[in-house]
Each structure stands twice: as structure tokens, then as C-alpha cells.
Amino acid sequence: MSFNSLRVKLTAAILVFSVLLVSLQWVLHLSAVKVVREQVAKSNQKLLSLHMRGLDADLEELDRYLYDLSVSNVDVQRLDRMRAANELEYDMARLRLFNTLKHSIENYRNTDILFVYSGQNDDVLLVGRSDFGNTYEERSQMRSEILFMLDSGLQKPIASEWQIWRSESGKYYVYRLVKTGSTYLGAWVRADKLVQPLDLQDDGDRGFALLATLDLEPMQHADQVALDSIALNYEANTFRMSGDDSSYLVLGERSEKGAFHLVAVIPESAILQHLLYLKRLTYVVTIGACIFPLMLAWYLRKVFLLPILRIVSAMRRLSDGNWKTRLELGAVSDEFRLMNHTFNRMIEEIRHLKIDVYEEKLNHQKAELKQLQLQINPHFFLNSLNIIYNLATVRDYAIIQEMTKCLVAYFRFIFQSDAFYVLLRDELAHTRNYLRIQQLRFPQRLTFRIDVDDDALNCPIPPLVIQNVVENSIKHAFNLDDTLDIRIEVSAAGTGSERRLLVRIADNGPGFPPEVLDLLRQERDLVQDEGRRIGIWNLRRRLRLLYPSGYRLTFENAAGGGALVTMELAIGNEGGTKHVSHLAG
């Protein structure tokens, strides 16, 4: 199949169109997904920033409260003294401080516990919100966690921001310590409480918000983060895709008051839930784009390609010479029906025209051959009559009779029929008769010898071809000082369709001049020299007309001197016993 064919071009156009359509559809889909992701990320980033600013503001306010309390409250100073020195005063200060904390904690919504630890007396005062630690077990557990945290962390420098504490049960807490003397004031908050407002947002069934440590270790939803291989690292003010198949949008913000991050994890299914129909449409268009080329190719093949291929096939058969080729006027479009009808009519007209031209050509060739065969050398005719006149003057009646008989036979052969071929025996007899006339004209100045295979005598040959060469030899090689000897050899070779007739005509004259021999080998006509070479031109012209498939005609000078003309002509399948006869004159 040629890449320049109509079928390949149509197929390529359909495929390119389908690929472009699918590519455009997917570009639009991916662009829409990108825009939605960016909009969702921007919206959630604003929400995170708003929540983080509110959370930091609450933590900062609680910081100021703890600092103010550590500086201005005298009861905190009393707890820094030894309890044993004045136990009543210590207990009264502890009671008043409890009431102060109890009253203040309700003003801080993000605080679960406010506590005071007296390092001097190893005493802890805990105050919880009314909605936290309602049972004795909860309060005991919180007390134990805070004591354990204080025991683990008091040896370290007090940080200037809120810290993270992970309990033995795996729960995370956020706490703050302020030191005055040997007394510590602190606040204690459950980490999951800080993200409760964000959990109320619509992030889908699998979306969530969480706090993470500075090392991005999740404080909540750790199981789901590990299960879906979600990486919590993010870039500020932007988002990244994470998790299995990058199916989660991750964004976050770091707290300015605490050693933690606030991270939102939003499933892409929740982001793209409003693009569900667009996504389905994308799949439908993609499937349609895969099916469309097949359907379109089938339709174009039936409506366009098959009729065109039939025309192309018919034209190829015509180029092979099958002029009987016709196109069917079947179930095709009106345009192709008209083309087929016009094609058939055109072929019929070309066929008739070809036949007419062929017949006209044959008639022209017949006329031309007839004209060539009827060409008579006027000098030969006049000289022959002049010889008869001279013989009559000397009353040599025997020579006159023979001369007249030879001339009658000569002209009878020329005018005998319209045939393009004669038997070789007749052509040789005519040539022998012609040579005898020339012997009578020039006694003892011309000899000839004819050698022919018996099985070649019945072979067809164009008339006058041998006599034409002989006449040319006499015209150009004869002189009155020397005897001209002409030799004619005819043989048949090969079998069947390969059988050929070989004719060799030689003389002992001076041969062809070099310039004439060069022109003859180039097959250039010699009619320019006042018609003196018309015999050779006649011979070559007739052979071209009668042997269009090829013949061989060569001119050369023999090694021993003289001219040599060789003709090789195709013959039929005649046979016979090979025997050489010698007809001498």
C-alpha cells in the first residue's frame, strides 16, 4: 500500500482528528481538575489560616493570662513558700487560687485544664472546665499525666511556645508552662480539641484535619495516614498531591505560638465530586473517539473508497491492455454512478477509436509497402530497353529472346500481387533472373553464386529485399575493368517461435566508404545524396513495417575485401531436411 494513496491519507486524517479530539477533551478535563484543585486548595488554605490565627490568638491570650497571674497574684507567691511554715495560710492561698482559676478557665474555650505546681512543696493544683473530667477516673488520669509531664520536663529550660506531649496511651496534648520562682503555672489542652471546628467542615467521607508535630508526625488519624501512605509535608501557601495514586490534596500551616502544624487532608474524590459528570463525559468522548474512526472508516470505505478502488482497478486492467474492462453501475452514489457510466462510455469510444486507428495504420502500412514494392529503378528499365535495341541492330535474336524473357519475368514478379511476403524460392528466382539480366548487359563482367538450405526455400520473406541489396551492390561496386562476384547465402536456424532466417549478401568490390559505413551503422538514411541510396532506405523502411518486434540488418566490410550485408528475420515453423544447393550463374 502506497503512503500516497487516498486510503492512507483518509485513515491518517481520521486518526489525527480523533487523537486531537481526545487530547483536547483530556486537556480540558485536566485543566478543569487543576482549576478545581486550586480553588479548593485556596478556599481551604484560607480556612486553615483563619482557624490558625484564631487558635494562635487564643493561645496568646492564655499566655498573657498565665504571665499576669504569675506576676500579680500574691497567692502564687505564697505557694512558693514552705507549706510547713504556715499551713493555714498556704491552704487559704491555695483555695483562693483555685477559685480564681475556676472562674477564669471558663473564659478560655480552648483550655481543658489550668494547673499550678509548687516545686517547693511538690504540690499540684488542677482546675478543669466544667465539661471536662467529670468523673474521678478522668481527673486522676489527667493528674497523673500532668505530674509525669512535669517530672519529665522541669529539668529542661522552659520553652517560649506551646509544646506537645504524647501520653503513654498515644494521645497528644498541647501544654504551656510559665515559671515564677519554684512555682509553675500551666495550661493543658487535648490536641484533638483544637481541630474539632475543622472536622465539622465538608471534606468528604475520608477527609480530615489534624495537628502534626514539628517532625510532621500526625497527632490524629495516624492509622488512616499510614494506611493510605499520605506524606504530610507541604509547601507554604500551596498544596501537593499525596497518598496512593496521589489521591489526596495536602495543605497546611504552622502555628506561630505552638510547636505544631495544622494540616488538612482532602480526598480528590470529594474535590471532584462536582466534576463527576464532566469526568464521565470525558470517558464517553474518549470511548466514542476510539469507536468513531472505525465507524467513519467503514462508512468512507463503503461510500468512497470501494467505488474509487473499483475505478483504480479498472484503470490498471486497462493499462495492461484489457479493453473489455467495464464498471458495474451497482448500489453507489449518484456521482459515482455517473463516473462509472462515463468511464464505460469513454472506454467503449476509446476501444472503437483504437480499432479505427489501428485499421487506418494497417491500411497506411499496406499502401506504403505497396508503394515501396512498386518502386522501379528507371535507369535499369531504360538501359534494358536500350540493350534490346542494340541487340536488334546486330540481329542477335537469341540474346534478344533471353533478355526479353528475363525482363518479362522480372516485371511479372514486381506486379504479380499485393502480398507482403513471398516464398524464399520465388525471391531467389527473381534475384537470379535480375542477375542474369545484368550478365547479359555486361558479358563476362559479373558472376554470382546462391547457396540456400532446402528447408528454408518455403520460408516467407518480404519481396525484393534480396534483389534490393544485390542491385545496390551492382550500382556501387561494378566497373568495366574488374569482374564483380556476388555471393548470396541463406540458412535457417532455431526451432518454433525462435526460428530465424539468416541472409548474407557479399561482393568483391571496394566495400563501403568509411563515412557511408558510419552513417549506415547509425541507421541514418542516405537519401540526401541525390537519391543514390534510396535502395537501402527502402529496405530498412519495409523491414521496420513488417517486423515491428525486431529484426537485424548490418552493414560491414568483409575481411578479404568487399561489402557484406547481413539480414536476420523471424520466420514461422516450417521444417525440412537441411541440404545445401548451389545455383551458379
Side-chain angles (χ1 to χ4, degrees):
M1 183 183 300
S2 172
F3 288 101
N4 196 37
S5 67
L6 185 60
R7 182 189 308 176
V8 173
K9 291 181 179 179
L10 284 176
T11 303
I14 293 172
L15 290 178
V16 170
F17 174 77
S18 301
V19 170
L20 289 178
L21 180 63
V22 173
S23 300
L24 178 61
Q25 181 66 27
W26 276 101
V27 167
L28 293 176
H29 173 69
L30 295 177
S31 299
V33 170
K34 182 179 179 181
V35 169
V36 171
R37 284 176 179 170
E38 291 176 351
Q39 293 298 322
V40 171
K42 184 181 296 185
S43 175
N44 283 272
Q45 187 67 51
K46 290 181 179 179
L47 181 62
L48 283 179
S49 298
L50 181 63
H51 183 73
M52 181 59 76
R53 285 196 295 270
L55 184 59
D56 285 342
D58 291 343
L59 296 180
E60 185 178 10
E61 184 180 358
L62 192 55
D63 275 352
R64 287 197 299 267
Y65 172 76
L66 293 178
Y67 277 113
D68 291 343
L69 188 64
S70 64
V71 173
S72 60
N73 193 297
V74 295
D75 292 327
V76 174
Q77 305 300 325
R78 292 189 177 99
L79 290 184
D80 196 32
R81 302 168 186 169
M82 289 297 296
R83 183 174 185 175
N86 192 340
E87 186 174 356
L88 178 61
E89 182 181 354
Y90 181 86
D91 291 338
M92 292 301 295
R94 191 173 186 277
L95 179 60
R96 286 191 300 271
L97 187 56
F98 176 83
N99 291 331
T100 299
L101 296 177
K102 186 67 174 178
H103 176 73
S104 300
I105 197 172
E106 299 297 335
N107 297 326
Y108 302 99
R109 57 185 178 87
N110 287 328
T111 306
D112 290 325
I113 296 175
L114 292 175
F115 61 90
V116 179
Y117 173 73
S118 175
Q120 189 73 255
N121 300 286
D122 193 21
D123 182 27
V124 176
L125 175 64
L126 298 178
V127 178
R129 293 178 57 87
S130 58
D131 57 351
F132 178 77
N134 295 324
T135 64
Y136 176 77
E137 290 78 7
E138 291 178 352
R139 289 193 296 272
S140 299
Q141 183 180 1
M142 289 298 100
R143 183 182 180 87
S144 299
E145 290 289 349
I146 292 173
L147 290 175
F148 185 73
M149 180 271 296
L150 291 173
D151 184 59
S152 302
L154 292 182
Q155 292 79 13
K156 302 177 183 179
I158 303 300
S160 61
E161 60 181 358
W162 290 72
Q163 298 297 306
I164 303 300
W165 174 258
R166 187 174 186 268
S167 66
E168 294 182 352
S169 60
K171 293 183 179 182
Y172 284 88
Y173 300 92
V174 179
Y175 70 93
R176 181 74 167 94
L177 291 177
V178 176
K179 182 180 181 182
T180 174
S182 62
T183 302
Y184 295 87
L185 285 79
W188 182 270
V189 184
R190 291 172 296 173
D192 55 357
K193 184 177 182 179
L194 298 179
V195 295
Q196 282 181 354
L198 292 178
D199 287 340
L200 299 178
Q201 300 297 320
D202 183 16
D203 291 335
D205 295 338
R206 300 170 61 192
F208 51 87
L210 56 85
L211 292 182
T213 65
L214 293 180
D215 296 329
L216 294 175
E217 180 181 352
M219 302 183 193
Q220 300 87 27
H221 305 285
D223 294 339
Q224 187 170 349
V225 170
L227 179 64
D228 294 332
S229 302
I230 302 174
L232 299 181
N233 53 309
Y234 63 90
E235 296 181 9
N237 299 321
T238 185
F239 68 93
R240 64 184 301 270
M241 302 303 298
S242 182
D244 294 335
D245 299 327
S246 299
S247 56
Y248 288 91
L249 184 147
V250 178
L251 49 91
E253 186 166 342
R254 191 194 188 288
S255 173
E256 295 180 357
K257 298 297 180 181
F260 57 86
H261 298 268
L262 179 60
V263 180
V265 180
I266 307 171
E268 190 176 39
S269 58
I271 299 174
L272 303 180
Q273 62 181 349
H274 299 298
L275 295 179
L276 179 61
Y277 294 107
L278 178 60
K279 189 173 183 179
R280 291 178 180 175
L281 179 61
T282 301
Y283 289 137
V284 171
V285 171
T286 302
I287 296 174
C290 296
I291 299 176
F292 171 75
L294 300 178
M295 297 180 63
L296 184 59
W298 174 84
Y299 178 77
L300 291 178
R301 180 177 181 274
K302 180 179 180 182
V303 176
F304 292 99
L305 291 180
L306 286 181
I308 293 176
L309 290 177
R310 294 192 189 101
I311 296 176
V312 172
S313 178
M315 294 176 68
R316 288 175 178 169
R317 292 197 296 271
L318 285 177
S319 64
D320 293 336
N322 186 2
W323 291 96
K324 295 182 179 180
T325 300
R326 296 295 182 273
L327 289 173
E328 297 181 0
L329 304 177
V332 293
S333 302
D334 294 340
E335 293 79 6
F336 283 109
R337 184 185 297 273
L338 177 61
M339 291 175 62
N340 294 348
H341 176 72
T342 305
F343 180 86
N344 292 339
R345 187 177 63 183
M346 179 183 66
I347 296 305
E348 189 65 27
E349 292 177 356
I350 292 176
R351 181 171 173 270
H352 287 300
L353 180 61
K354 186 177 179 66
I355 293 175
D356 294 340
V357 171
Y358 182 71
E359 291 178 350
E360 182 68 22
K361 184 177 180 180
L362 288 179
N363 293 332
H364 177 73
Q365 289 180 351
K366 289 180 181 179
E368 186 176 1
L369 284 172
K370 187 62 179 177
Q371 181 182 3
L372 292 172
Q373 291 174 191
L374 291 177
Q375 286 182 346
I376 302 176
N377 191 331
H379 298 288
F380 170 76
F381 180 67
L382 294 176
N383 290 335
S384 299
L385 292 179
N386 189 41
I387 291 173
I388 294 175
Y389 174 80
N390 292 330
L391 291 173
T393 302
V394 297
R395 298 183 180 183
D396 193 348
Y397 300 113
I399 301 298
I400 292 174
Q401 287 178 346
E402 186 178 359
M403 185 72 166
T404 304
K405 183 178 179 182
C406 290
L407 285 174
V408 170
Y410 177 83
F411 288 111
R412 180 184 293 117
F413 182 83
I414 291 178
F415 299 113
Q416 66 178 345
S417 68
D418 297 335
F420 294 154
Y421 298 93
V422 296
L423 295 178
L424 177 63
R425 66 173 67 252
D426 296 332
E427 172 68 11
L428 292 177
H430 171 71
T431 304
R432 185 180 183 281
N433 185 55
Y434 172 78
L435 289 170
R436 180 57 185 160
I437 293 174
Q438 297 296 349
Q439 282 182 331
L440 293 174
R441 289 181 61 193
F442 309 106
Q444 299 180 356
R445 288 291 179 267
L446 176 66
T447 61
F448 66 90
R449 178 184 177 89
I450 301 176
D451 296 336
V452 58
D453 290 351
D454 286 347
D455 60 351
L457 289 174
N458 292 324
C459 294
I461 188 173
L464 304 177
V465 293
I466 298 178
Q467 186 258 327
N468 206 338
V469 177
V470 170
E471 182 180 359
N472 193 71
S473 295
I474 294 175
K475 178 186 290 187
H476 298 286
F478 180 79
N479 62 71
L480 296 176
D481 297 329
D482 300 315
T483 299
L484 177 66
D485 181 49
I486 297 177
R487 299 179 303 279
I488 301 174
E489 299 177 357
V490 184
S491 61
T495 59
S497 60
E498 300 295 328
R499 197 166 186 231
R500 306 185 72 80
L501 190 68
L502 182 64
V503 180
R504 294 168 54 89
I505 304 170
D507 61 52
N508 63 342
F512 295 105
E515 63 276 8
V516 174
L517 187 61
D518 185 58
L519 292 174
L520 290 174
R521 287 175 175 174
Q522 296 178 25
E523 297 189 1
R524 296 174 61 181
D525 296 329
L526 302 178
V527 296
Q528 73 275 13
D529 193 9
E530 300 179 357
R532 291 190 295 116
R533 303 292 192 272
I534 194 171
I536 294 178
W537 177 86
N538 185 316
L539 173 62
R540 181 176 284 139
R541 179 62 179 162
R542 285 198 294 147
L543 291 179
R544 286 177 180 172
L545 292 173
L546 294 173
Y547 296 93
S549 60
Y551 65 94
R552 190 167 70 90
L553 177 63
T554 60
F555 301 89
E556 57 186 321
N557 291 325
L564 174 62
V565 179
T566 304
M567 286 185 289
E568 187 175 347
L569 309 174
I571 58 177
N573 198 23
E574 299 83 9
T577 304
K578 186 174 183 180
H579 177 72
V580 179
S581 299
H582 302 289
L583 305 177

